[in-house]
Amino acid sequence: MKILITGAAGQLGSTLVSFLFGAHEVIPLTRAELDITNPNRVKETILMHRPDVIIHTAAYTDVDMSEKHADTAFHINAFGTRNIAEAAELVGAKLVYISSDYVFDGMKKEPYIESDCPSPINIYGSTKLLGEKFVELYCSKHFVVRTAWLYGMGQRSFVNTIYKLARSQNEISVVTDCYGSPTYVMDLAAFITELLSKENYGIYHVVNEGVCSRFELAQAIVQEMGFDHVQVRPILSHQFEQSALRPANSALACAAIRMNGLTPLRDWRSALQAYMGNLKQSDEGGLFSGH
Ligand SMILES: NC(=O)c1ccc[n+]([C@@H]2O[C@H](COP(=O)([O-])OP(=O)(O)OC[C@H]3O[C@@H](n4cnc5c(N)ncnc54)[C@H](OP(=O)(O)O)[C@@H]3O)[C@@H](O)[C@H]2O)c1
């Protein structure tokens, strides 16, 4: 398959590139190579390559900055996605659009399933939801992959932030009243690889199995590091200043994966353990010292 990837220098984009390389013809496009907000460039590029599949990972992902720069966030996440969806339809490509748990308001007590009604409470979530609607409207062969709390090697994420803090501090304060589904980007990339050959289009929740709070996740990270001296102190969200509201519960249940006979991701604790093992090994050279 010929697979075009947008946002190829990002956390998920770069992981997908290394995952798919060799098995497929991969066209990785960074922001410098394809700015998705330019409709003519998007159309020209996709008409030139005529990919079988487009994996659209590019996004404005700073949740707090999206509150201040709402126009930019909508321009990239919603209208940039519309450009990609229209161009995908022109060449008959399958489109995998990466969306977010932040399309939900967090009021549900259980993990959200694909048929639950989205109702975002911050700008970022609204932009991702509008992106979903454009994908559904403009591209017939689409997968909307909602994922959450991503982490992986070398990029900014909650897991990597806690890892760095735990190396320099004896106490870290983390919120207890925010629940979600941490997801290892390698596991997400493996799932997307499986999805590409399918034709069961629609919305998929794709996260590592299980639910935890940010506090429980931080505790697990410190435990995996073997840093018994680091204390994770529980605090509440209102004690932690952030520009954007976060859903109190944005855990996702992967109902569509099961209903379509696809392979669910492993549980979040095993995935974290695998990642932390890799991280400890590669960080001997100070991989995260600059972040
Ligand atoms: N990270 C998470 O926890 C999380 C959770 C749920 C869903 N998601 C979704 O998953 C996808 C991948 O996230 P990620 O963590 O890999 O994000 P990331 O590391 O921030 O990567 C996003 C990439 O998109 C690029 N980009 C931004 N504006 C662009 C534009 N106008 N044209 C082309 N490229 C542009 C960025 O380039 P620059 O760096 O040069 O701006 C960056 O390389 C996103 O769609 C995100 O909304 C992420």
Side-chain angles (χ1 to χ4, degrees):
M1 274 189 282
K2 197 188 234 195
I3 302 170
L4 185 147
I5 301 176
T6 68
Q11 176 172 230
L12 176 60
S14 58
T15 307
L16 279 164
V17 173
S18 50
F19 225 87
L20 295 165
F21 208 78
H24 298 279
E25 183 182 345
V26 181
I27 303 150
L29 299 177
T30 63
R31 182 184 195 144
E33 289 156 337
L34 179 65
D35 183 335
I36 61 163
T37 60
N38 182 332
N40 293 333
R41 277 286 296 140
V42 168
K43 196 170 155 187
E44 273 166 29
T45 306
I46 289 173
L47 278 173
M48 181 177 79
H49 291 292
R50 305 193 83 82
D52 302 302
V53 178
I54 298 172
I55 310 178
H56 174 38
T57 78
Y60 185 87
T61 53
D62 191 318
V63 176
D64 289 311
M65 291 300 278
S66 296
E67 297 294 310
K68 259 197 216 150
H69 302 288
D71 284 1
T72 307
F74 272 104
H75 198 200
I76 297 172
N77 295 352
F79 295 96
T81 298
R82 184 197 58 188
N83 297 337
I84 297 289
E86 283 180 328
E89 187 69 8
L90 265 184
V91 298
K94 289 182 185 178
L95 174 59
V96 182
Y97 167 60
I98 311 301
S99 189
S100 166
D101 54 334
Y102 282 9
V103 298
F104 294 113
D105 64 13
M107 302 301 282
K108 194 180 172 186
K109 298 293 170 225
E110 303 285 310
Y112 285 90
I113 57 171
E114 288 83 351
S115 55
D116 283 324
C117 193
S119 174
I121 57 169
N122 58 36
I123 298 288
Y124 170 77
S126 304
T127 66
K128 295 298 291 184
L129 181 60
L130 188 53
E132 287 189 8
K133 292 191 187 305
F134 282 139
V135 164
E136 287 161 358
L137 197 63
Y138 289 111
C139 181
S140 35
K141 296 196 273 181
H142 65 260
F143 298 102
V144 170
V145 169
R146 291 189 188 133
T147 192
W149 294 19
L150 285 185
Y151 61 87
M153 211 64 86
Q155 306 261 353
R156 209 151 25 124
S157 65
F158 177 84
V159 171
N160 292 344
T161 300
I162 297 294
Y163 174 82
K164 277 180 281 168
L165 288 176
R167 296 198 329 167
S168 58
Q169 299 179 13
N170 289 328
E171 190 180 282
I172 309 166
S173 300
V174 184
V175 299
T176 51
D177 54 348
C178 183
Y179 288 84
S181 307
T183 303
Y184 186 17
V185 74
M186 290 287 278
D187 291 0
L188 175 60
F191 176 82
I192 292 172
T193 305
E194 181 186 2
L195 191 63
L196 298 182
S197 60
K198 310 290 184 227
E199 288 177 354
N200 320 35
Y201 300 112
I203 302 177
Y204 287 78
H205 287 180
V206 185
V207 290
N208 282 120
E209 291 282 309
V211 180
C212 67
S213 66
R214 293 273 186 198
F215 175 76
E216 289 163 334
L217 177 55
Q219 277 187 317
I221 296 162
V222 169
Q223 210 175 53
E224 289 300 331
M225 291 171 76
F227 279 14
D228 300 339
H229 63 283
V230 178
Q231 213 196 328
V232 184
R233 195 168 70 87
I235 56 166
L236 293 171
S237 303
H238 70 82
Q239 297 171 272
F240 186 66
E241 216 175 300
Q242 287 177 308
S243 315
L245 282 174
R246 264 60 173 184
N249 170 37
S250 64
L252 301 179
C254 305
I257 292 186
R258 289 202 167 72
M259 284 189 282
N260 287 291
L262 299 170
T263 316
L265 278 57
R266 62 186 145 175
D267 72 275
W268 73 267
R269 199 65 175 77
S270 315
L272 182 74
Q273 194 172 32
Y275 172 64
M276 295 297 293
N278 291 340
L279 180 59
K280 276 191 277 186
Q281 268 186 349
S282 44
D283 199 28
E284 273 153 23
L287 187 67
F288 284 98
S289 49
H291 285 262

